[in-house]
Amino acid sequence: MHGVERVPIKLPGPVLLQPIVHGDQRGFFLETYRRSTLADLGIADDFVQDNHSRSRGGVVRGMHFQPGMAKLVRCARGAIFDVVVDLRRGSPTFGQWEGAELNDTTHRQLYCPDGFAHGFDVVYMTSAYYDPQRESGFAYNDPAVAIEWPVEVELSASERDLGAPLLAQIADSLPFSYQ
């Protein structure tokens, strides 16, 4: 992460990072995590768990969230379209989404702060331990949020994601608020 640039995005809170990649004919090297660099960029979370998820093409996973958990997301192989949605009640951008391609060429990472839902197929660190009792989500295809998934095949999702409620159905019970 030493020598990382912040890539501008529209939503306040999430941060898109472009690390400096050192490469030659043998391959490449980059730092995927450096606490002091993230702190300099305003990301103060202490990441305590590292996860890896892989799906075949056309699979969508999301929109998931767990109160108290921020995520630092990257794609280890191939390319994915990663989406975050603002869930902070009272936020001027509540229900708005931001998408970015993460891939194994640019090595960009996306910081998804607490209070945002996330759709993913990636390697990611979390600022809290996974707790299935606290995990939640909303429909990845919610027409009110209107995420424009850039796929040319029909998306497939888990039974859990297919049965997820609309954001409007859970909005009043969200534990996040805009400060």
Side-chain angles (χ1 to χ4, degrees):
M1 302 283 320
H2 192 67
V4 65
E5 297 176 1
R6 187 179 191 138
V7 179
I9 59 176
K10 65 181 180 181
L11 286 179
V15 178
L16 185 59
L17 303 168
Q18 177 62 62
I20 301 299
V21 180
H22 306 279
D24 58 25
Q25 69 281 1
R26 300 168 298 161
F28 69 87
F29 171 83
L30 69 130
E31 289 182 358
T32 61
Y33 177 77
R34 181 185 283 241
R35 181 185 294 172
S36 61
T37 300
L38 292 178
D40 290 344
L41 294 171
I43 301 170
D45 292 288
D46 185 20
F47 295 99
V48 298
Q49 183 173 319
D50 201 13
N51 302 322
H52 189 151
S53 172
R54 179 173 295 146
S55 302
R56 60 178 174 74
V59 170
V60 63
R61 296 183 187 254
M63 300 302 297
H64 301 157
F65 62 90
Q66 179 176 314
M69 180 186 285
K71 298 173 183 173
L72 182 60
V73 183
R74 67 185 175 91
C75 180
R77 184 173 76 178
I80 59 103
F81 186 66
D82 195 14
V83 174
V84 292
V85 177
D86 188 349
L87 300 181
R88 300 168 299 163
R89 288 180 287 110
S91 168
T93 57
F94 178 83
Q96 293 183 24
W97 63 276
E98 179 87 26
E101 180 176 300
L102 305 181
N103 60 52
D104 62 3
T105 303
T106 65
H107 305 284
R108 285 184 171 175
Q109 296 180 331
L110 183 62
Y111 168 69
C112 176
D114 187 28
F116 286 76
H118 173 65
F120 65 93
D121 175 19
V122 290
V123 177
Y124 61 102
M125 291 196 290
T126 64
S127 64
Y129 295 110
Y130 174 71
D131 179 352
Q133 301 302 315
R134 294 182 51 94
E135 183 179 46
S136 190
F138 70 92
Y140 71 92
N141 56 355
D142 184 328
V145 178
I147 297 169
E148 297 172 12
W149 297 101
V151 295
E152 289 143 15
V153 297
E154 185 176 334
L155 293 177
S156 65
S158 68
E159 289 298 318
R160 173 185 164 214
D161 288 343
L162 289 171
L166 299 176
L167 180 55
Q169 293 173 307
I170 62 169
D172 290 340
S173 64
L174 290 170
F176 314 111
S177 59
Y178 183 70
Q179 319 241 11

